[in-house]
Amino acid sequence: MANVIILGSQWGDEGKGKIVDLFADRFDIVARYQGGHNAGHTVFIGEKKYVLKLIPSGILRPGKKAVIGNGLVLDPAALLSEMEALESAGVKVTGNLFISNRAHILFPAHRMMEKMSEGREGRISIGTTSRGIGPCYEDKTGRRGIRVADLLNRDFFRAQYDSVMEEKVTIARTFGIYSEMDLAAIRDEYERFADRIRPMVCDTAVLLNQAIRDGRSILFEGAQGTMLDIDHGTYPFVTSSSASAGGACTGTGVAPTKIDGVLGVSKAYITRVGGGPFPTEALDAAGDLIRKRGNEFGAVTGRPRRCGWFDVPLLRYTAVINGFDSLIVTKLDVLDEFETIQVCTGYRIGGQEVCDMPPTVGEIERVEPVYESLPGWKTSTFGVASFDELPGRAKDYLAFLEERTGVEVGCISTGPERNQTMVRQGSRFEKLVRG
Ligand code: GDP
Ligand code: IMO
Ligand code: MG
């Protein structure tokens, strides 16, 4: 069986959780490689709804191992409450979840530090999830982060924690963003968390590489999306980790030579949460209809998602960055009622054609999208699970996306449930996922 990466090809919320859960049964291990509890992956199994934030969506498949890789930032309180919610819903987490000893620990002070960028005059507010993700990654790259292995070493942890927190309090007081917190009590609390997570902690790079040697297969689960990637996204309106395919290797310790394929999840349209440029944003009734039909509200923060039309240049860009073998197009059913569907097939700035994704927010904001209109199918596709049963115009729409993006559409989703999905026969997707 293959080792495959599944990740978001847009600005997140593409439906990765549903897709990972659905295909996790074909793999032995599901490994998350970046992000933290800023992610929100909603999965429906029958009547039951699960929202996964830190724990890989593969946990919902009994008997599968789920790995939190070294590339994540881990808020132990968020992890333990997610675990408890899952266990009380009948999902077995203990014994199936493995946490990297190299993942970085997120503290309440990281949330306070987020106000440095989000709440101060003169700084560009990114519209983050306010979970402290960015400041935790700042500590990681600043080489003062506290990792899971450090948390488990009581003496080392105490000394490191006290010095790092002292620094944060000084900065917070200086910049007027300090919020009262009992640092010693938090330290004690984290020591109790350490005892609770200890049985799940191991060197997950060793675990994953041994599994590969034993012939087991791994599904790497991306959080966020490529356009939120710290290097390749719409910087600075991005998250602080490597959401693109490269992150799967650095975030787990599995070499690129062991990866067999990369699958990109894309909505049949596009959404974005938070600030930042968005060339195909539909600020009219069409955008409202997408939001209403797609129930486009954030799973973590409840914020309304900004909605717009499918963006081919953006997809072509993320296809190159990730080397997509195949695309999974989700939420096709959301477009069922449209008379005409717009697709952005090109970018212009000041009337000039733009071939590559511009690097700066200023330029992306000036992009004039070139649209082509396709006729809508005006028929319900909700729950359709066979390609042959799709209306002709829906097939034409998918063929158009395939032709313009240059990537096959190997899988299509028409509803939140597992069985509301179809895999194209003979596709590269089928080969990678079904072996
Ligand atoms: P993720 O962060 O990429 O996992 O995506 P989210 O879970 O944040 O957002 C996707 C939302 O769309 C979830 O509420 C899913 O249940 C839902 N969803 C996924 N696929 C489909 C689909 O094909 N049709 C519809 N109508 N909803 C879907
Ligand atoms: P999933 O995994 C959509 C966005 C935030 C903000 C920016 C930075 O569900 O697709 P952060 O808190 O990460 O520092 O915020 O990134 N963002 C997401 N948008 N889906 C997500 O996750 C996101 N995680 C972060 O809205 O614009
Ligand atoms: Mg989400």
Side-chain angles (χ1 to χ4, degrees), residues 13 40-41 305:
D13 303 323
H41 306 153
R305 294 174 181 154

Side-chain angles (χ1 to χ4, degrees), residues 21-337:
D21 162 69
L22 177 60
F23 295 105
D25 72 330
R26 315 277 171 154
F27 295 81
D28 297 298
I29 304 178
V30 178
R32 259 280 295 270
Y33 58 86
Q34 43 72 233
H37 65 309
N38 48 349
H41 306 153
T42 305
V43 179
F44 285 91
I45 305 174
E47 294 294 293
K48 282 197 173 170
K49 174 184 168 180
Y50 304 89
V51 181
L52 296 135
K53 293 168 187 165
L54 260 168
I55 299 180
S57 308
I59 199 77
L60 301 175
R61 293 285 186 175
K64 301 293 172 186
K65 286 185 180 164
V67 166
I68 290 183
N70 57 276
L72 276 84
V73 290
L74 187 84
D75 179 333
L79 175 78
L80 292 167
S81 82
E82 191 175 335
M83 271 184 73
E84 275 160 23
L86 286 170
E87 296 264 7
S88 62
V91 178
K92 187 173 172 326
V93 180
T94 314
N96 290 335
L97 183 66
F98 299 83
I99 300 170
S100 169
N101 51 11
R102 291 179 172 85
H104 278 251
I105 299 288
L106 192 149
F107 295 93
H110 288 128
R111 284 191 285 280
M112 172 176 77
M113 296 312 283
E114 195 146 11
K115 287 186 244 155
M116 282 293 280
S117 58
E118 293 298 288
R120 283 196 323 125
E121 226 174 279
R123 291 289 297 267
I124 306 166
S125 164
I126 307 297
T128 68
T129 59
S130 310
R131 297 292 183 272
I133 305 292
C136 187
Y137 277 112
E138 280 177 45
D139 278 356
K140 172 180 177 172
T141 47
R143 294 164 295 183
R144 57 181 170 270
I146 296 176
R147 303 190 295 174
V148 171
D150 305 325
L151 177 68
L152 299 188
N153 177 341
R154 188 164 290 226
D155 292 338
F156 180 84
F157 170 63
R158 289 206 147 214
Q160 184 75 357
Y161 173 88
D162 288 348
S163 102
V164 171
M165 292 307 146
E166 188 195 344
E167 216 175 277
K168 301 217 180 302
V169 168
T170 307
I171 296 169
R173 286 217 161 98
T174 308
F175 288 93
I177 55 160
Y178 180 72
S179 40
E180 204 58 53
M181 57 179 75
D182 185 341
L183 289 174
I186 293 169
R187 192 185 57 201
D188 293 346
E189 191 186 21
Y190 271 65
E191 284 173 353
R192 290 193 294 277
F193 290 151
D195 293 334
R196 292 180 63 192
I197 66 169
R198 192 182 297 274
M200 295 179 271
V201 175
C202 67
D203 188 329
T204 49
V206 170
L207 181 149
L208 292 169
N209 284 294
Q210 185 59 49
I212 292 171
R213 281 195 294 277
D214 293 343
R216 310 239 181 281
S217 58
I218 300 167
L219 174 53
F220 296 88
E221 174 181 351
Q224 287 80 50
T226 308
M227 295 309 284
L228 290 171
D229 181 280
I230 184 75
D231 288 283
H232 303 290
T234 43
Y235 191 90
F237 294 93
V238 292
T239 192
S240 298
S241 61
S242 299
S244 53
C249 295
T250 53
T252 60
V254 173
T257 47
K258 301 286 187 290
I259 310 283
D260 300 294
V262 185
L263 305 172
V265 189
S266 162
K267 279 174 179 161
Y269 47 95
I270 194 165
T271 62
R272 158 159 226 177
V273 196
F278 184 171
T280 64
E281 182 165 19
L283 294 164
D284 53 6
D288 292 340
L289 185 57
I290 292 175
R291 186 174 308 102
K292 184 165 153 258
R293 288 189 50 81
N295 190 25
E296 295 296 354
F297 296 89
V300 171
T301 57
R303 289 179 289 177
R305 294 174 181 154
R306 299 158 66 193
C307 299
W309 299 111
F310 192 94
D311 185 332
V312 170
L314 179 146
L315 210 296
R316 287 176 72 94
Y317 171 70
T318 62
V320 170
I321 296 295
N322 296 298
F324 289 145
D325 290 288
S326 189
L327 275 184
I328 300 146
V329 173
T330 62
K331 305 190 93 161
L332 185 70
D333 54 294
V334 172
L335 299 182
D336 284 351
E337 281 181 9

